[in-house]
Amino acid sequence: MAKYNCKTCGAELYFDPKSGKLVCEYCGSTFDPSEYAYDPSAEGHDETIPQAGAGDAEPAATDEQATDDSTGELLIYKCPHCGAEVITSKETAATTCVYCNRAITLEGNLTGNFRPDYVLPFTTTREDVEKEYLQLAKKSILTPRLFTKKSTVEKIKGMYVPFWLYSFEGEASIRVVGTNTRVWMTKDVEYTEITKYEVDEAGQGTFQNIPADALKELDNDMMDSIEPFDFSKLQSFNPAFLAGFYTQRWNEDAAMNEKRAKLRAKEAMTRELMNHVGTFNAGTVIKNENYNWRKDQVHYAMLPVWMMYTEYKGKKYIFGMNGQTGKMMGEIPSDPARFFEIGGGIFVISQIIMLILRVLGVM
């Protein structure tokens, strides 16, 4: 289990998005994450994750991951800070202890095929996302109270989401049928001339780092909507960047998302080719199309996302914010009943004011 302690006072360190450093909340010291680069042979590094079985009082004696259910979906880890048992999914790679609120990085869950190639560090803070979210929620007086309550805002969680980044080259060719129409009158007779044209267009393109999230639980449209990310800021993976954030490893492999990435590339190439087809007053239709891909590459990266989930009147609401750019997406419902709440409050206040005026003899 990875530990990131201050070299000055020994307290725990957290990654600070604003400075891009590991920060000690006690003495204020800061350290570059590279100073805590992953090295299993380094002194003080414990590669084995202490675990306990569902009914065990002590950590399990072997490295086998103990579970608390028959499906093996949940694991129990022993917090290295306070000793409490932390129950989490087998795919969790970083979390916080619910008892001492200390960061826990389960480095053993990020090995082998689950070890990322890159990480894109957070640059927005919890304060940033809370401010943006509340501005969105308070835009309408009909926003249900639930969405502005402190307990709801506290659900906002910073997490590194596993993504596959696809790079490849593509060649495309399309045949488009374009139609022009011309209408005219001769005496009392209306004539329509329809002219069709076939246009061939071809092109090629290079695509770098098309992202596709690798968690089956997440809504793909939501993840796509908070793009883009600036991949020039990618860092070689170092688990020190995860300190203080929630992280899960992938549960959808690269092959499952490849079609999704290439569909996005196909749509981009099609749009570009159609821009060269020309203008036809009765529209265009693609008759034939062909796409070929080569030099495929894929990398595994952790990307920063702020997430919040809540339920209202039986419907689920999910909000996401790009942890690098601050772009937010999500739906805030309206409740017409708020009209009556607001109207009732105004009536009560007006009655109190009138009572005070009567006591003062003004009325």
Side-chain angles (χ1 to χ4, degrees), residues 11 33 39 121 126 177 179 189 245 288 290 296 331 354 357 359-360:
D39 181 3
R126 169 172 287 278
V177 176
T179 304
V189 180
F245 294 94
N288 295 309
N290 185 56
D296 292 36
E331 177 189 359
M354 291 179 66
L357 292 176
V359 171
L360 295 176

Side-chain angles (χ1 to χ4, degrees), residues 71-233:
T71 64
E73 294 300 318
L74 299 178
L75 300 175
I76 300 178
Y77 298 98
K78 193 167 185 178
C79 176
H81 307 291
C82 69
E85 290 184 347
V86 179
I87 300 176
T88 186
S89 76
K90 66 180 181 181
E91 291 154 358
T92 300
T95 186
T96 56
C97 175
V98 295
Y99 296 96
C100 68
N101 202 36
R102 304 284 288 277
I104 302 175
T105 303
L106 308 174
E107 219 167 63
N109 284 359
L110 292 174
T111 58
N113 292 334
F114 292 105
R115 181 170 178 79
D117 300 305
Y118 301 105
V119 60
L120 190 63
F122 274 87
T123 58
T124 58
T125 66
R126 169 172 287 278
E127 290 74 19
D128 294 331
V129 68
E130 287 183 0
K131 179 181 178 181
E132 291 295 323
Y133 168 75
L134 286 173
Q135 285 181 350
L136 178 65
K138 292 179 178 180
K139 277 186 176 180
S140 171
I141 61 172
L142 299 183
T143 297
R145 293 182 184 275
L146 172 68
F147 289 84
T148 56
K149 289 178 63 175
K150 181 180 178 181
S151 58
T152 299
V153 178
E154 288 176 346
K155 292 180 181 179
I156 295 173
K157 179 182 296 184
M159 65 182 295
Y160 281 101
V161 176
F163 273 77
W164 298 112
L165 304 181
Y166 300 88
S167 299
F168 44 80
E169 294 180 2
E171 293 180 345
S173 60
I174 62 173
R175 173 163 291 182
V176 178
V177 176
T179 304
N180 280 333
T181 62
R182 184 169 69 94
V183 180
W184 70 93
M185 296 288 295
T186 300
K187 296 184 179 180
D188 294 330
V189 180
E190 180 180 281
Y191 295 90
T192 300
E193 178 185 77
I194 300 175
T195 307
K196 292 183 178 294
Y197 302 84
E198 286 193 352
V199 182
D200 292 327
E201 288 288 345
Q204 57 185 3
T206 300
F207 299 89
Q208 293 289 331
N209 295 327
I210 296 180
D213 68 90
L215 283 182
K216 59 186 177 183
E217 298 87 357
L218 290 183
D219 182 275
N220 291 338
D221 292 336
M222 168 65 78
M223 291 298 100
D224 292 346
S225 67
I226 63 173
E227 293 180 26
F229 292 93
D230 180 2
F231 292 116
S232 68
K233 306 298 184 182

Side-chain angles (χ1 to χ4, degrees), residues 33-34 37-38 115-121 233-241 300:
S34 62
Y38 173 63
R115 181 170 178 79
D117 300 305
Y118 301 105
V119 60
L120 190 63
K233 306 298 184 182
L234 281 173
Q235 303 282 332
S236 296
F237 180 70
N238 182 346
F241 286 106
Y300 175 31

